[in-house]
Amino acid sequence: MTTKLTIGKAINEGLRRAMEDDPKVLVMGEDVGRLGGVFRVTDGLHKDFGADRVIDTPLAESGIIGTAIGLALRGYRPVCEIQFDGFFFPATNQTFTQLAKMHQRSGGRLRLPVVLRIPYGGGIGAVEHHSESPEAYFAHTAGLRVVTVANPEDAYWMVQQAIACDDPVVFFEPKRRYWDKADVDTTRSLTSAAPMGAARIARPGQDVTLVAYGPMVKTALQAAEADTDHSVEVIDLRSLSPIDYDTVCSSVRRTGRLVVAHEAPVSSGLGAEIAARVTEECFYHLEAPVVRVGGFDTPYPPSRLEEHYLPDLDRVLDGVDRTFAF
Amino acid sequence: MPVTTSHEEPELIQLLTPEGEFKEHPDYPLDISAEEMRGLYRDLALVRRLDTEAVALQRQGELGLWASLLGQEAAQVGSGRALRPNDMAFPSYREHGVAWCRGVAPKDLLALFRGVTNGGWNPDDHGFHLYTIVIGTQALHATGYAMGIQRDGALGEDGSAVIVYFGDGATSQGDTNEAFVYAAVNNAPVVFFCQNNQWAISEPLERQSRVPLYRRAEGFGFPGVRVDGNDVLACLAVTRAALHNAREGQGPSLIEAFTYRMGAHTTSDDPTRYRMSAELEEWKAKDPLLRLHTFLTRNGLADEAFFAAVEEEAGRLGERIRTECRALPDPAPLDIFHEVYAEPHHHIDRQRAEFADYLASFEGADAEGGR
Ligand SMILES: Cc1ncc(C[n+]2csc(CCOP(=O)(O)OP(=O)(O)O)c2C)c(N)n1
Ligand SMILES: [Mg+2]
């Protein structure tokens, strides 16, 4: 049986199911209770599971992650909502120096099954700090798994997989796509869903591989559709750390060309890492240098300029064309 | 679970009751002329109009967002008018009333919420720093600035003090608490002005504190007071005293202005999801404009002609704001690369040039892209 869900609602349903399945699952963050979060992703959970399991935290992100660590040490599985990408930073210390390292430091004795849900990316006309794509910082940090979703199906299953995972998982939610709708089969079992760490071929093609993730997958699919000259294979990365290089490299070996697109600044971004790795692994199959399409190496601009900052269909196609101009 | 450990009712410093009755306070004598009082009323009325216009402009799609100060006019105008020209204020994102007192043009405030800039004005021109959205960060900036004033030897009667604005929610943030520590151990000339409007988006004060907020100060080692935030005279008197003490080298203090957020958190928020309208009704009776209006009228300090003139001025301000907002030019695409660094930066220059070429490639084909 399938249900039509938006990405936001699919995460909500996924959280609900995880909370039903495991009484140790907690939801915590600013305004996640009665309000249901500023994007309503936790809507109804406070009413149905109570204030002990759906915690409106004080306004302090370091506190959210720090206490989540303590709760995890006591056997809970906290799912922390950070209200917006730009408000994660007060929690940087707890996340990078503590959460990410504690498992190894304990000789594997301690488990930190903490999920950080972070709405990220631009395109909603917001004020400063509400449109950023900070995923590279997390992917650069050992000990954290980093995933992101591009459709309701993945949203529903991957949030549950993230909660079930015994490692800390940073779960990036593409905020401008929260309202995108699709059918989700919610009757399957969690184990039958595609693994959280695997990339997915979102659209098969022969001439060029286009890797995207999160909010950019939709743009990449539109670009592939619009490109009448080339057959574009679109890969939805899903996991940003670790990256499923098997899927990416086997595609590149077939197509010989790679474009990576993300909203985050290009320099030292995920695209740079993927380009380097693919160059190492597929050097003799490449017909052209790997091209990166992304945000500029500037602060995210005021909203009236964001259409110019965000890589759109034209910028992605320009990137595709550049690999063929070689 | 107990939510309060306090037995005594906190003292609320008030000079003007909600009914418009003036009461002396032994610690806060107020030396103020009738003309200054009328000036305060004018400020309150104009600031409220600015706010109402901005909400309307957001509804019309002219602004991306607006954070309304409705209900907090007295806390902002009272404290804002307590500042002297060489004092420095550090706001959060709701201090439109303080901005008004510091001479920031309304259109410069609107520019931020329209999305044409992330800044909007020159802080040094106004003694009013840029708005700060990341909660609590500015408390440390204010404290550091105050430490600079100390090092400059710029205290004393002709010297400077600093005021920093933040909300009840912000008192939970690490940065705010670190600022309390830094200000205390350095005896920094900074006034922490907390507008306790009872809500941090959907979270009531009980989610942030078990004690009245002003009592936090004691633990950090400096004085804290709670003032009626809807009483412009009390806010003026209490802030003047705190700034005076700071300038005189007596160090930091905390003012909790007890007030209420009459509107939504921002235009994106729907408060019906989390609070009762009865609460709003209760606070409407404590409206900051109403009580000053009553006081001025009853004591013959202002007549109908004065209020009519203010009303008329507010109308003109509203019209000016609408016109100026719509006329705010969109920034040019290449502005994205401007002022990222103070010193030349070859990488940004190169990226800017590449983007200029890219935009030029659309010229003719698509005039929009080359704008
Ligand atoms: C570090 C940080 N976390 C979260 C937010 C999102 N946010 C914006 S305003 C707000 C509530 C602030 O409440 P309060 O400090 O009481 O100020 P008020 O809005 O009531 O003026 C929150 C959680 C933010 N801006 N910064
Ligand atoms: Mg508040």
Side-chain angles (χ1 to χ4, degrees):
Chain A
M1 194 195 71
T2 64
T3 326
K4 235 190 190 26
L5 296 176
T6 62
I7 288 183
K9 184 66 181 160
I11 300 169
N12 175 271
E13 291 291 336
L15 289 170
R16 173 177 292 280
R17 183 149 156 190
M19 294 187 82
E20 282 164 359
D21 290 350
D22 183 351
K24 294 290 187 190
V25 175
L26 307 176
V27 164
M28 53 197 287
E30 293 153 11
D31 306 289
V32 298
R34 192 160 290 145
L35 182 64
V38 293
F39 290 107
R40 310 292 184 260
V41 172
T42 58
D43 190 26
L45 301 178
H46 180 267
K47 184 168 143 277
D48 295 339
F49 296 98
D52 269 356
R53 293 189 64 196
V54 180
I55 306 166
D56 265 335
T57 65
L59 207 178
E61 289 75 10
S62 179
I64 297 174
I65 307 302
T67 56
I69 292 171
L71 284 158
L73 294 175
R74 187 72 196 176
Y76 286 89
R77 306 185 87 84
V79 184
C80 304
E81 175 173 306
I82 297 294
Q83 203 160 76
F84 282 91
D85 33 68
F87 307 140
F88 161 75
F89 299 104
T92 312
N93 179 31
Q94 287 289 350
T95 305
F96 292 171
T97 74
Q98 302 301 313
L99 182 64
K101 298 180 177 184
M102 215 174 265
H103 175 69
Q104 189 189 47
R105 234 163 25 90
S106 72
R109 291 179 189 92
L110 301 176
R111 299 274 157 111
L112 281 300
V114 176
V115 176
L116 270 66
R117 294 183 33 242
I118 308 180
Y120 80 125
I124 62 160
V127 292
E128 208 186 359
H129 313 294
H130 292 72
S131 305
E132 297 173 7
S133 298
E135 63 271 15
Y137 302 132
F138 297 86
H140 193 66
T141 302
L144 303 176
R145 292 177 190 270
V146 185
V147 301
T148 183
V149 298
N151 57 62
E153 172 90 13
D154 279 351
Y156 179 74
W157 293 110
M158 283 169 72
V159 76
Q160 294 178 66
Q161 291 166 330
I163 294 168
C165 179
D166 272 349
D167 288 316
V169 179
V170 185
F171 187 87
F172 278 109
E173 303 176 1
K175 70 168 86 81
R176 69 169 148 142
R177 308 291 188 212
Y178 267 142
W179 300 273
D180 286 5
K181 257 189 182 169
D183 281 327
V184 180
D185 179 358
T186 57
T187 56
R188 288 163 41 197
S189 73
L190 188 55
T191 44
S192 73
M196 183 172 77
R200 182 178 69 96
I201 295 179
R203 183 188 197 273
Q206 282 98 52
D207 301 339
V208 54
T209 303
L210 174 56
V211 166
Y213 55 83
M216 283 300 293
V217 173
K218 186 171 179 173
T219 312
L221 288 169
Q222 287 165 345
E225 202 63 42
D227 191 338
T228 44
D229 299 333
H230 314 107
S231 161
V232 181
E233 175 147 303
V234 176
I235 293 182
D236 172 1
L237 212 50
R238 297 168 85 251
S239 176
L240 309 184
S241 179
I243 288 171
D244 174 7
Y245 283 112
D246 286 351
T247 301
V248 175
C249 290
S250 77
S251 172
V252 173
R253 284 190 197 102
R254 273 188 285 108
T255 63
R257 290 183 162 83
L258 175 63
V259 176
V260 187
H262 51 59
E263 288 186 20
V266 162
S267 293
S268 305
L270 266 287
E273 179 57 34
I274 294 166
R277 179 58 61 102
V278 166
T279 306
E280 283 166 21
E281 293 198 9
C282 311
F283 188 69
Y284 292 107
H285 292 86
L286 283 172
E287 305 284 346
V290 179
V291 167
R292 292 167 293 162
V293 179
F296 302 115
D297 297 321
T298 67
Y300 196 87
S303 61
R304 291 263 169 167
L305 286 177
E306 70 179 339
E307 59 167 322
H308 294 288
Y309 179 92
L310 289 173
D312 59 1
L313 192 142
D314 284 333
R315 289 246 296 277
V316 172
L317 287 179
D318 178 64
V320 169
D321 287 347
R322 275 188 282 146
T323 68
F324 284 99
F326 208 79
Chain B
M1 222 197 302
V3 290
T4 174
T5 54
S6 158
H7 301 298
E8 329 132 45
E9 263 299 291
E11 197 215 345
L12 184 72
I13 296 161
Q14 190 179 65
L15 299 182
L16 206 53
T17 68
E19 294 73 37
E21 220 64 71
F22 187 82
K23 313 185 299 190
E24 298 274 352
H25 191 289
D27 300 335
Y28 299 99
L30 189 65
D31 177 20
I32 187 172
S33 67
E35 191 178 341
E36 281 175 288
M37 284 207 218
R38 286 192 296 271
L40 290 173
Y41 183 84
R42 174 179 169 269
D43 285 337
L44 294 175
L46 295 185
V47 159
R48 178 165 288 185
R49 178 58 66 99
L50 188 169
D51 191 71
T52 313
E53 285 305 332
V55 172
L57 284 164
Q58 196 281 335
R59 296 282 177 246
Q60 293 157 21
E62 297 292 339
L63 300 179
L65 183 85
W66 183 253
S68 168
L69 62 32
L70 190 68
Q72 299 176 220
E73 295 89 348
Q76 298 193 10
V77 167
S79 60
R81 286 298 177 205
L83 291 163
R84 294 189 185 163
N86 48 355
D87 291 336
M88 184 71 188
F90 286 81
S92 72
Y93 43 79
R94 204 187 289 286
E95 274 69 67
H96 322 312
V98 187
W100 169 265
C101 296
R102 301 305 276 170
V104 174
K107 74 167 170 39
D108 291 343
L109 290 175
L110 298 188
L112 178 72
F113 290 94
R114 189 174 167 89
V116 305
T117 174
N118 282 334
W121 55 89
N122 182 353
D124 293 332
D125 286 350
H126 300 283
F128 187 74
H129 189 69
L130 299 177
Y131 272 3
T132 300
I133 291 175
V134 184
I135 302 286
T137 50
Q138 77 277 16
L140 281 165
H141 310 157
T143 303
Y145 196 93
M147 289 162 61
I149 290 174
Q150 281 177 310
R151 277 152 187 76
D152 291 343
L155 292 172
E157 183 50 28
D158 299 323
S160 303
V162 180
I163 191 167
V164 54
Y165 291 87
F166 51 88
D168 42 291
T171 62
S172 295
Q173 198 60 266
D175 279 5
T176 308
N177 288 274
E178 291 181 21
F180 292 163
V181 170
Y182 272 71
V185 301
N186 288 290
N187 201 42
V190 56
V191 175
F192 295 105
F193 195 93
C194 174
Q195 289 170 83
N196 174 4
N197 62 9
Q198 315 298 327
W199 292 91
I201 309 188
S202 73
E203 298 196 17
L205 185 67
E206 301 84 72
R207 297 307 307 155
Q208 318 290 344
S209 187
R210 275 170 72 152
V211 297
L213 293 173
Y214 77 98
R215 296 229 322 249
R216 295 254 183 103
E218 194 192 336
F220 288 95
F222 50 86
V225 294
R226 176 182 279 186
V227 62
D228 182 344
N230 288 16
D231 172 355
V232 70
L233 300 183
C235 288
L236 176 71
V238 167
T239 312
R240 261 189 194 163
L243 288 166
H244 173 82
N245 292 344
R247 269 187 227 105
E248 293 303 315
Q250 293 174 44
S253 58
L254 169 65
I255 298 172
E256 175 191 1
F258 203 73
T259 180
Y260 191 73
R261 196 194 78 209
M262 301 284 282
H265 169 68
T266 65
T267 46
S268 302
D269 178 40
D270 173 12
T272 63
R273 289 179 68 98
Y274 54 81
R275 70 183 189 186
M276 310 297 266
S277 55
E279 190 179 274
L280 185 66
E281 291 308 314
E282 187 191 318
W283 279 90
K284 268 188 189 161
K286 302 181 191 168
D287 187 277
L289 272 77
L290 200 62
R291 66 176 79 178
L292 188 59
H293 190 291
T294 310
F295 173 76
L296 291 175
T297 313
R298 204 181 283 153
N299 293 282
L301 299 171
D303 55 14
E304 275 314 310
F306 166 76
F307 292 114
V310 169
E311 199 42 42
E312 204 229 343
E313 190 181 358
R316 272 182 281 128
L317 175 68
E319 200 175 306
R320 194 183 103 204
I321 287 172
R322 290 192 294 275
T323 314
E324 288 180 350
C325 177
R326 295 201 172 90
L328 282 167
D330 273 350
L334 292 178
D335 287 354
I336 292 173
F337 302 92
H338 281 186
E339 286 117 21
V340 180
Y341 298 90
E343 302 267 352
H345 193 285
H346 60 80
H347 175 73
I348 290 287
D349 292 347
R350 179 177 159 174
Q351 207 170 62
R352 182 179 188 278
E354 284 169 2
F355 189 50
D357 286 348
Y358 172 79
L359 289 175
S361 73
F362 287 87
E363 251 154 38
D366 173 6
E368 261 296 285
R371 180 169 48 126

